[in-house]
Amino acid sequence: MENTKPKPEILKCHKCGKPSTGRYSPDIDIAGLSFCDEHKELMAAAFYCLLQNDTKTFDQLMGTDLATQK
């Protein structure tokens, strides 16, 4: 009999792309920010910034640009 269960998605660190060892998320159904052991504290700070709507500091930490066009 063939196994038809879907394979679980392998999450990757949002900073470096290595396999993640955890994630910060506001809800179990939301992917949130995944991290490897090396970037756990960085992701904690970045996640806090998102919760505070501080995209400027988030962008500095992550090397991204979350600016939206108006």
Side-chain angles (χ1 to χ4, degrees), residues 3-35:
N3 184 356
T4 59
K5 282 186 176 180
K7 292 183 180 180
E9 182 181 347
I10 297 174
L11 297 176
K12 295 182 180 178
C13 175
H14 279 91
K15 184 66 178 175
C16 69
K18 293 179 186 174
S20 71
T21 57
R23 69 184 173 114
Y24 293 109
S25 177
D27 186 295
I28 195 166
D29 295 328
I30 298 173
L33 290 176
S34 298
F35 55 84

Side-chain angles (χ1 to χ4, degrees), residues 30-63:
I30 298 173
L33 290 176
S34 298
F35 55 84
C36 64
D37 289 340
E38 179 184 352
H39 295 114
K40 183 176 182 176
E41 290 182 18
L42 174 72
M43 287 302 147
F47 184 68
Y48 177 78
C49 289
L50 289 178
L51 292 175
Q52 298 300 313
N53 202 29
D54 182 359
T55 56
K56 180 179 178 182
T57 304
F58 176 86
D59 286 339
Q60 291 172 344
L61 291 170
M62 298 295 294

